[in-house]
Amino acid sequence: MKRRNRFVMDVLIGDTVVACHCPVTGRIGDLVFDGVPCLISTTNDPRRNTAFTVEAISIDTDRQWIGIHQGRANDFVAYCLNTDALPVFPYSKHVEREQVIGTSRLDFKVDGVYMEVKAPLTELFVTPLPRFERRAVTRPIETDRLIRHLETLIATLPATKRAVLLYVFLYDAPVFTGNPNRKQDARIRQLIRDAITNGLEIWQVNGELSREGIRLIRCVETTNHFK
């Protein structure tokens, strides 16, 4: 029914409006959250202030669920790595998560190669149904944290000769090529272009989310789209 703040969404369950955890602190497209269908999960964690988490929303003509829980994206990638389902690392043997390098933390280290996972949500690459209101489009702002992680990932290249930036969409998104309207876009693109010559690879994973879980749709290399 409403996004109360960065951390809480009000969801109508039956006849009761319930406060649910919002797993995304940033923007979710330019949506006004009013009557947007969603999937929620439950938790019994006594440390939580809310018993539910909003996992996905549905706004397009295909009525597909769009996963908004970025933590699930990392869990999904870990599962796919452990089952050899991703061609980016088709036969991974040693998978480590949350690798601290300097003042940053990269998501994965796979057989000695570092990989950072990003699940973009400031833009939703679907066409919303007319009944869903959208705010005036504003320029997405890339945080210092994102750029710091990218620079940290690139800094591993002299030693490893390979690094991976993996974009994950928990819906069937088109090939992601960045956003020319975002602030600091030129700096980010130049960082990526320079690093590609030294071994940086860009990949994209699309997953289909349902009440039962997440299914891999495809995993493709998109490095050429960033050159």
Side-chain angles (χ1 to χ4, degrees):
M1 305 303 294
K2 180 176 70 173
R3 186 173 185 178
R4 191 188 305 178
N5 54 45
R6 290 195 304 161
F7 306 102
V8 178
M9 287 177 160
D10 290 330
V11 177
L12 182 64
I13 305 175
D15 297 323
T16 305
V17 176
V18 178
C20 299
H21 173 60
C22 177
V24 186
T25 57
R27 278 175 34 198
I28 305 172
D30 293 297
L31 282 176
V32 174
F33 284 93
D34 181 5
V36 176
C38 66
L39 287 180
I40 59 173
S41 62
T42 60
T43 179
N44 295 317
D45 189 342
R47 298 169 297 178
R48 285 276 301 270
N49 293 323
T50 55
F52 303 96
T53 297
V54 178
E55 297 283 345
I57 59 173
S58 181
I59 60 171
D60 65 335
T61 54
D62 293 331
R63 301 187 183 279
Q64 66 176 324
W65 291 111
I66 298 171
I68 65 169
H69 196 316
Q70 292 167 317
R72 299 279 186 232
N74 281 32
D75 291 341
F76 179 54
V77 170
Y79 173 80
C80 290
L81 286 170
N82 289 326
T83 56
D84 295 331
L86 298 183
V88 57
F89 292 108
Y91 305 108
S92 56
K93 294 181 176 64
H94 189 59
V95 178
E96 301 172 86
R97 298 182 63 171
E98 300 292 323
Q99 296 297 294
V100 176
I101 301 177
T103 59
S104 295
R105 181 175 293 153
L106 298 178
D107 292 311
F108 290 92
K109 186 178 182 182
V110 184
D111 295 335
V113 175
Y114 291 93
M115 179 168 69
E116 179 68 3
V117 175
K118 296 298 177 190
L121 287 168
T122 55
E123 284 185 289
L124 298 178
F125 299 98
V126 299
T127 301
L129 290 165
R131 68 187 179 92
F132 296 116
E133 184 181 353
R134 304 176 73 181
R135 301 182 191 280
V137 176
T138 57
R139 295 182 68 186
I141 299 174
E142 298 297 338
T143 64
D144 291 338
R145 180 173 176 269
L146 183 150
I147 295 176
R148 185 174 71 249
H149 284 179
L150 181 58
E151 290 176 333
T152 301
L153 181 67
I154 292 169
T156 67
L157 284 169
T160 63
K161 309 303 180 186
R162 186 190 183 205
V164 176
L165 177 61
L166 181 69
Y167 287 106
V168 176
F169 297 87
L170 298 183
Y171 64 100
D172 197 10
V175 172
F176 179 70
T177 58
N179 183 348
N181 294 319
R182 65 187 169 186
K183 295 180 180 179
Q184 303 195 56
D185 182 71
R187 177 184 175 188
I188 293 168
R189 288 180 182 276
Q190 192 61 53
L191 279 171
I192 290 175
R193 276 196 298 268
D194 291 345
I196 285 173
T197 63
N198 295 319
L200 179 67
E201 298 173 11
I202 319 297
W203 288 73
Q204 178 172 330
V205 161
N206 283 7
E208 180 184 49
L209 191 146
S210 69
R211 288 176 173 83
E212 288 71 39
I214 307 169
R215 179 182 68 86
L216 179 66
I217 299 175
R218 68 182 65 88
C219 175
V220 294
E221 184 174 3
T222 58
T223 306
N224 287 336
H225 291 277
F226 291 83
K227 289 183 177 178

